[in-house]
Amino acid sequence: MSHVAFVSHGGGPMPLLGDPSHAELVSTLKALPQQFPKQPSVIIMISAHWETSGFEITAAENPDLIYDYYGFPDESYQFQYPALGAPKLARDIADKMEAKGTHIRLNEKRGFDHGMFIPLMLMYPEANVPVVQISLASSLSPDQHWMLGEQLAEALPKDALVIGSGFSFHNMRAFFAPKTPQVKHDVHAFQTWLDETVTSSHLDLNEAKQRWLHWSEVEGGRFCHPREEHLIPLIVCHALAQKQGRSIAFSALGVEARHFVW
């Protein structure tokens, strides 16, 4: 069984620029590989920053980095993370998923976005593990992405590490607005709901899936995610892990946030 983690990757390149409001995020990401018994043979990355019509998978030998953030210091556009791709594995995954009824197009040109390289520069700074990145479908459908996770569980090498890269809170306006008692209440309500959904031993997988299908109706849901692309990788990870996980709580940019590990 692959190891699985969902990480909240922070604001653009800020985790690597010494920003004080990212200190806990940085320390928790650096410590995360200790949760896994050995170095993975490959990292399968599902980033909030790549959406396509249907699903795609990177199939380049040496993908470039995509500096998909704006208005940061020059050094932010000079980061290097020379991880290799794994085109043969990408084709194998695509073939296995096709057999299960999910089409994943090979993309031999796309590089790695900051949802990939920012957390991995902290978790695996040596860049010595090959990486394959899978897109989100632009539908952002919880049901479609839960099915993706379920099917991927049987299509990956046993010693793969799957990382969903998003943010458990992603309301850009609220990040930089006053953290009023109402804001803190709404954030806490949803982070608590996430903890229950992903970690409660009283829920079976089908009950967890049903909760995900209605996430936007729960208290704080739409406030925390006006648009859900940073939440969807967590749904993929939960379905792929096929069990309940553990929560890592921290603060970033002045709000309560989570990583999850299985």
Side-chain angles (χ1 to χ4, degrees), residues 189-215:
F190 190 63
Q191 304 306 303
T192 301
W193 181 88
L194 288 177
D195 285 341
E196 291 169 356
T197 301
V198 178
T199 73
S200 174
S201 59
H202 300 297
L203 294 176
D204 63 29
L205 262 188
N206 191 55
E207 290 169 323
K209 176 185 176 181
Q210 293 308 310
R211 286 169 69 99
W212 279 123
L213 296 183
H214 302 283
W215 74 268

Side-chain angles (χ1 to χ4, degrees), residues 20-88:
S21 71
H22 281 78
E24 290 183 24
L25 181 147
V26 168
S27 63
T28 50
L29 283 180
K30 285 182 174 178
L32 208 52
Q34 297 163 19
Q35 303 275 342
F36 313 121
K38 61 179 183 177
Q39 183 158 299
S41 66
V42 65
I43 294 171
I44 311 296
M45 176 67 67
I46 299 147
S47 165
H49 293 281
W50 187 21
E51 295 176 42
T52 55
S53 173
F55 296 109
E56 295 189 10
I57 188 168
T58 56
E61 193 78 54
N62 294 282
D64 296 325
L65 298 191
I66 303 169
Y67 302 103
D68 52 342
Y69 40 68
Y70 310 96
F72 290 98
D74 288 348
E75 65 182 286
S76 310
Y77 305 93
Q78 293 158 16
F79 293 141
Q80 298 298 315
Y81 193 76
L84 294 174
K88 185 173 179 296

Side-chain angles (χ1 to χ4, degrees), residues 52-55 97 102-103 136-151 209 213 232 235-236 239:
T52 55
S53 173
F55 296 109
M97 293 296 284
T102 294
H103 181 61
L136 302 181
S138 53
S139 68
L140 300 182
S141 155
D143 201 19
Q144 185 181 12
H145 288 86
W146 183 275
M147 184 183 295
L148 174 73
E150 281 187 326
Q151 294 179 347
K209 176 185 176 181
L213 296 183
I232 295 295
I235 298 177
V236 178

